[in-house]
């Protein structure tokens, strides 16, 4: 589910499984979804495919795997091999290149041996391609051996290898037997040291850097300084692929090669040592990246974390089972990455797994960090009732063991939870204590964070002047530190102050900047900024842009599953209809909006918000355009709409 969601740009929604979010997103879509390399997650792929296909009549799914998914409606199609000519009736030399298998062999041969040409060796080339059943990977591996063997020698060795398979498992598909034989043959030709390095490299997921390979693969006679040479040899033999990524080399294996090498590693005596080194490396990497996420280097480090995310997942999975201390530290180091990249539900799942395996650590300094990690993710998912319980326990244990930064962060988030529950006195007190603690730690980022929460408390109590002053202090700190994400967050709050005070020009400019910044991290994070900007643009009479902004915000809030923001967007489109001469349709949507927010318990949340003031203004305008009977009928009919129906209605008429 996480891989599909990431590919589609779907973000996790509060109080909803990721599968449900995907089902809702794809329900009305007409698209083709490709799941590649399902064999290592065959059950999970089958379950997800069945759920998605059952919910969407227009969804088509293409899965590649070594076996069928085994679900209703599946049509299995075996991918054909590359074509090759008849060995007994060879066409003229100039016609051989029309066959894909020969094309591939010639291309790869030229890459490893620039002086190599297809000439009198053509019959042997055709025999090699034929014996390899035209399987591209096998052809690439064979061509890579031209550095040490002639084509004729390769053809002979392949004949020997295939005869060896006659005593193998006869129930396996011939194609799988051939590929296994090809990899066995290539592996047998490696030196002992090359085999060891190949095995060790299989611990990586999603590729690796040279530095990571040097740390993980050294030991037992192999020095870090030798790793580059080993990588070069494995690249030459097509067992490892080198690619440029962000101006630096990055390496990976084809999945089949990786699985083969990993089997060898698992069977060896050093599997645990290599996995421990992999965990050590990526824990240090994440801990180094954590403060960078709050600095002007954050974009560079987010990309690096994105590139290594599969490795970080692998390390965390291993640590949860084998090294709880490292797992807790790794989870804490990834908190801001999870939050700012929109991986909230996945982060919560990891921490929940860790909580279930770490009872003995609960009342320790390490336990305070774990509880804080849970509280962090619960808070930013807006589950404030649960968040307050986790935060209070984390705060109690953190104070007990002198975990000052955990204490300060817990206090700041308690302020957020208290404010959401309209406990303004507690919210202010928590933020003040957080500010004192961060100042004691000389933590500038934390000081800015506490000032921001103090500003939110003042804003909630309608002290807009003080709120703006506190936001300005916070913003100055984040501009100095270069934390673009927090700049966008504080700007959004400053814009809301200007909006409440009726300064639409200032509010619009601030919302524009906030939207631009938040888009850089996680597009769905910009949904609220877009909605706020839409209200301002609507007030200024730019109806076309307001419509576009409300629609974009609505799309993003649907992806996030943010029902509150969806209702706000419906209200905005209703007001837009009222402003553009469609009062009956506007009344219809106003009724839907009021019913939906009442049914979801959200009416109180709007309260005296700027959005509510805008809505009230346009409702008066709509009532002035039509008679009370027409308004009442449209309003009553609108109250019967579901959220999905209201969205469809709004998008149809606005």
């Amino acid at each position: 589910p996480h891989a599909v969601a990431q590919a589609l740009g779907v973000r996790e929604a509060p109080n909803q499984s990721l599968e449900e979010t995907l089902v809702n997103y794809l329900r009305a879509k007409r698209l083709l979804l490709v799941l590649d390399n399902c064999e290592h997650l065959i059950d999970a792929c089958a379950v997800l495919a069945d759920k998605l296909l059952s919910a969407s009549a227009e969804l088509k799914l293409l899965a590649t795997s070594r076996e069928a998914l085994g679900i209703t409606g599946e049509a299995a199609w075996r991918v054909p091999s590359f074509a090759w000519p008849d060995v007994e009736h060879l066409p003229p030399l100039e016609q051989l290149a029309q066959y894909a298998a020969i094309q591939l062999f010639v291309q790869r041969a030229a890459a490893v041996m620039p002086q190599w040409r297809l000439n009198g060796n053509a019959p042997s080339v055709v025999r090699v391609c034929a014996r390899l059943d035209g399987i591209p990977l096998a052809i690439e591996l064979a061509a890579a051996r031209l550095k040490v063997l002639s084509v004729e020698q390769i053809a002979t060795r392949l004949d020997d290898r295939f005869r060896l398979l006659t005593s193998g498992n006869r129930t396996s598909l011939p194609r799988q037997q051939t590929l296994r034989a090809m990899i066995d043959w290539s592996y047998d030709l490696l030196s002992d040291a090359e085999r060891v390095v190949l095995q060790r490299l299989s611990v990586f997921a999603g590729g690796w850097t040279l530095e990571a390979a040097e740390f993980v693969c050294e030991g037992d006679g192999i020095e870090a300084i030798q790793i580059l040479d080993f990588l070069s040899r494995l690249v030459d033999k097509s067992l490892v692929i080198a690619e440029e990524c962000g101006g630096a080399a990055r390496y990976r294996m084809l999945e089949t090669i990786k699985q083969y090498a990993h089997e060898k590693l698992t069977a060896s005596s050093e599997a645990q040592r290599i996995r421990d080194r992999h965990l050590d490396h990526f824990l240090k990497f994440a801990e180094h990246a954590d403060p960078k996420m709050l600095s002007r280097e954050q974009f560079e480090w987010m990309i690096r974390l994105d590139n290594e995310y599969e490795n970080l997942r692998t390390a965390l999975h291993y640590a949860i089972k084998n090294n709880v201390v490292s797992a807790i530290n790794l989870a804490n180091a990834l908190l801001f990455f999870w939050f700012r990249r929109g991986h909230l539900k996945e982060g919560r799942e990891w921490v929940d797994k860790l909580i279930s395996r770490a009872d003995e650590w609960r009342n320790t300094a390490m336990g305070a960090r774990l509880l804080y990690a849970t509280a962090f993710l619960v808070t930013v998912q807006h589950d404030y009732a649960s968040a307050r319980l986790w935060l209070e326990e984390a705060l109690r244990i953190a104070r007990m063991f002198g975990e000052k930064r955990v204490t300060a962060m817990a206090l700041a988030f308690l302020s957020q939870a208290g404010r959401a529950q309209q406990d303004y006195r507690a919210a202010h007190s928590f933020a003040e204590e957080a500010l004192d603690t961060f100042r004691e730690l000389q933590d500038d980022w934390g000081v800015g964070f506490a000032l921001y929460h103090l500003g939110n408390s003042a804003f909630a109590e309608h002290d807009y002047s003080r709120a703006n002053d506190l936001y300005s202090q916070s913003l100055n700190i984040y501009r100095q530190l270069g934390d673009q994400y927090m700049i966008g967050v504080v700007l959004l709050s400053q814009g809301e102050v200007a909006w409440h005070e009726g300064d639409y020009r200032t509010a619009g400019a601030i919302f524009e900047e906030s939207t631009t910044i938040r888009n850089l991290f996680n597009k769905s994070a910009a949904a609220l900024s877009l909605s706020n900007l839409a209200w301002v643009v609507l007030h200024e009479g730019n109806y076309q842009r307001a419509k576009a902004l409300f629609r974009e915000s609505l799309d993003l809030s649907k992806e996030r599953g943010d029902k509150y923001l969806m209702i706000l967007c419906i209200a905005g489109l209703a007001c837009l209809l009222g402003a553009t001469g469609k009062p009956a349709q506007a009344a219809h949507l106003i009724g839907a909006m009021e019913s939906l927010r009442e049914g979801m318990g959200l009416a109180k949340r709007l309260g005296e918000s700027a959005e509510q003031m805008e809505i009230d203004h346009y409702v008066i305008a709509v009532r002035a355009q039509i008679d009370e009977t027409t308004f009442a009928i449209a309003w009553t009919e609108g109250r019967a709409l579901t959220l999905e129906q209201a969205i469809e209605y709004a998008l149809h008429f606005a």
Side-chain angles (χ1 to χ4, degrees):
H2 297 296
V4 174
Q6 185 174 13
L8 294 173
V10 173
R11 303 299 176 186
E12 297 127 30
N15 306 317
Q16 190 177 72
S17 72
L18 189 53
E19 288 92 339
E20 290 172 338
T21 303
L22 284 170
V23 165
N24 292 334
Y25 176 78
L26 291 169
R27 194 182 303 279
K29 294 285 190 300
R30 183 173 183 269
L31 54 77
L32 172 68
L33 179 64
V34 182
L35 300 180
D36 197 14
N37 288 333
C38 295
E39 51 270 4
H40 59 300
L41 292 168
I42 192 72
D43 292 335
C45 288
V47 170
L48 180 62
D50 191 53
K51 283 183 180 178
L52 297 181
L53 291 169
S54 298
S56 175
E58 293 297 315
L59 175 67
K60 302 296 182 185
L61 195 145
L62 173 63
T64 72
S65 177
R66 292 199 181 101
E67 60 183 296
L69 297 185
I71 62 175
T72 302
E74 180 179 16
W77 187 74
R78 183 174 175 178
V79 180
S81 298
F82 280 179
W84 64 89
D86 186 344
V87 177
E88 302 301 324
H89 303 91
L90 290 181
L93 188 63
E94 62 270 17
Q95 294 181 16
L96 286 178
Q98 68 181 311
Y99 294 94
I102 307 303
Q103 268 185 32
L104 179 61
F105 190 96
V106 170
Q107 290 169 359
R108 294 300 184 227
V112 298
M113 297 281 289
Q115 70 276 21
W116 188 90
R117 295 290 182 272
L118 182 66
N119 44 42
N121 53 26
S124 294
V125 171
V126 173
R127 278 202 303 276
V128 167
C129 294
R131 292 292 185 264
L132 295 178
D133 299 319
I135 297 171
L137 173 60
I139 292 170
E140 290 191 1
L141 292 171
R145 293 304 171 193
L146 286 173
K147 280 189 174 181
V148 292
L149 297 170
S150 68
V151 178
E152 290 76 15
Q153 287 175 308
I154 292 173
T156 301
R157 292 178 68 88
L158 288 176
D159 284 339
D160 292 339
R161 180 58 65 182
F162 288 140
R163 281 197 293 270
L164 185 63
L165 286 175
T166 57
S167 60
N169 185 350
R170 295 180 184 276
T171 62
S172 296
L173 292 173
R175 177 175 64 87
Q176 291 176 328
Q177 292 177 352
T178 302
L179 189 56
R180 167 69 63 176
M182 187 68 253
I183 300 172
D184 279 337
W185 167 75
S186 182
Y187 184 80
D188 290 345
L189 287 177
L190 296 175
S191 68
D192 289 342
E194 287 171 338
R195 292 178 196 172
V196 169
V197 172
L198 185 68
Q199 292 172 24
R200 294 176 182 178
L201 290 171
S202 70
V203 77
F204 292 105
W208 64 88
T209 62
L210 174 60
E211 293 75 18
E214 287 174 335
F215 181 87
V216 173
C217 296
E218 74 169 336
D220 290 346
I222 295 176
E223 299 177 11
I225 199 172
Q226 296 176 294
I227 298 301
L228 177 58
D229 183 51
F230 282 120
L231 279 174
S232 298
R233 292 188 223 167
L234 293 171
V235 168
D236 287 343
K237 295 173 174 64
S238 294
L239 292 169
V240 168
I241 299 167
E243 299 169 323
E244 185 177 337
C245 181
R250 188 169 179 82
Y251 305 89
R252 65 180 176 88
M253 292 184 199
L254 293 175
E255 186 64 25
T256 304
I257 299 295
K258 179 184 180 300
Q259 289 183 15
Y260 179 93
H262 201 261
E263 287 178 11
K264 297 288 185 182
L265 176 66
T266 302
S268 73
S269 60
E270 63 173 10
Q272 183 172 346
R273 184 182 73 84
I274 297 302
R275 290 177 181 134
D276 285 340
R277 291 187 69 81
H278 180 273
L279 170 59
D280 289 345
H281 174 79
F282 285 102
L283 173 57
K284 290 173 184 173
F285 171 79
E287 289 178 333
H288 185 68
D290 185 24
K292 304 290 187 183
M293 287 288 293
L294 310 180
S295 74
R296 62 183 71 256
E297 300 174 72
Q298 59 196 185
F299 292 116
E300 172 193 342
W301 280 90
M302 273 196 296
I303 291 170
R304 293 180 69 172
L305 285 162
D306 285 337
N307 290 338
E308 300 296 358
Y309 198 28
E310 289 303 316
N311 279 311
L312 291 164
R313 284 169 167 155
T314 298
L316 190 51
H317 179 76
Y318 175 74
I320 286 173
K321 293 183 177 180
N322 298 278
N323 190 328
V324 172
V325 172
S326 291
I328 294 172
N329 288 332
L330 182 53
N332 271 274
L334 291 174
L335 283 177
F336 280 100
F337 173 73
W338 281 332
F339 173 47
R340 295 186 175 189
R341 269 307 196 224
H343 301 313
L344 297 179
K345 194 171 293 293
E346 181 182 356
R348 179 77 178 275
E349 288 169 358
W350 284 116
V351 173
D352 285 348
K353 288 178 185 176
L354 193 49
I355 285 277
S356 69
R357 299 185 64 89
D359 285 342
E360 70 273 23
W361 295 95
R362 199 176 187 96
N363 289 303
T364 66
M366 195 64 64
R369 295 178 208 167
L370 176 57
L371 291 166
Y372 160 67
T374 303
F376 179 112
L377 293 165
V378 173
T379 304
V380 296
Q381 287 179 300
H382 310 301
D383 182 1
Y384 294 114
S386 299
R388 200 157 182 176
L389 296 175
W390 286 107
L391 287 164
E392 286 169 353
E393 187 175 3
L395 181 61
R396 176 183 65 80
I397 299 173
R399 281 175 166 159
M400 187 185 307
F401 290 95
E403 288 282 328
K404 293 263 185 197
R405 192 166 195 280
V406 172
T407 297
M409 290 298 293
L411 286 165
F413 281 124
L414 275 167
S415 175
Q416 180 176 335
R419 188 174 62 258
Q421 296 175 314
Q422 297 184 319
D423 187 353
Y424 300 131
R425 188 172 183 177
H428 181 84
S429 176
F430 286 134
E432 285 280 11
E433 190 178 352
L435 180 60
D436 291 341
T437 309
F438 279 125
R439 281 175 171 160
E440 180 186 343
L441 291 169
Q442 297 183 321
D443 183 335
D444 290 340
W445 188 94
V447 169
F449 198 54
L451 288 168
Y452 165 69
H453 283 288
L454 276 171
N456 287 340
S457 293
F459 182 84
E461 296 181 275
H462 311 299
D463 188 347
Y464 300 134
S465 177
R466 175 165 168 73
N468 205 40
D469 179 59
L470 289 163
Y471 289 146
S472 294
Q473 293 180 52
S474 176
L475 188 60
N476 286 338
I477 290 173
Y478 290 128
R479 289 198 190 279
Q480 290 172 16
L481 295 174
D483 186 343
Q484 294 295 311
Y485 188 90
M486 284 307 298
I487 290 172
V489 169
V490 180
L491 279 171
L492 178 62
S493 296
Q494 275 198 322
E496 290 179 343
V497 170
W499 186 13
H500 272 75
E501 294 182 325
D503 186 352
Y504 287 89
R505 173 177 286 186
T506 299
I510 292 174
F511 290 146
E512 290 271 17
E513 186 178 355
S514 175
T515 300
T516 301
I517 291 172
R518 288 160 73 87
N519 259 335
L520 296 172
F521 292 84
N522 166 7
K523 190 170 177 62
S524 65
L528 182 56
S529 297
L530 286 165
S531 174
N532 287 357
L533 180 58
W535 284 107
V536 171
V537 169
L538 175 63
H539 181 88
E540 293 174 338
N542 189 342
Y543 301 135
Q544 282 300 111
R545 187 164 186 230
K547 179 169 74 171
L549 289 167
F550 276 128
R551 281 173 168 262
E552 186 177 358
S553 179
L554 181 58
D555 286 342
L556 293 174
S557 58
K558 283 166 62 182
E559 288 180 18
R560 297 172 70 191
D562 189 333
K563 294 181 180 179
Y564 172 72
L565 192 50
M566 285 186 236
I567 292 171
L568 277 183
C569 291
I570 290 170
L573 290 169
C575 294
L576 176 67
L577 288 169
T580 54
K582 297 179 180 177
Q585 292 89 341
H588 203 88
L589 276 181
I590 290 167
M593 177 269 296
E594 291 185 356
S595 174
L596 289 167
R597 71 182 188 183
E598 289 166 10
M600 296 175 187
L602 299 174
K604 191 176 182 181
R605 185 170 172 182
L606 273 171
E608 300 175 18
S609 67
E611 291 95 338
Q612 186 60 57
M613 290 188 290
E614 298 290 342
I615 292 168
D616 292 342
H617 167 77
Y618 285 102
V619 168
I620 292 171
V622 168
R623 284 182 177 274
Q625 295 178 58
I626 52 177
D627 61 80
E628 278 300 316
T629 302
T630 304
F631 180 90
I633 292 172
W635 182 83
T636 302
E637 289 175 349
R639 288 185 63 85
L641 296 180
T642 65
L643 178 59
E644 292 74 18
Q645 289 170 336
I647 290 172
E648 184 179 354
Y649 188 93
L651 294 177
H652 177 74
F653 285 103

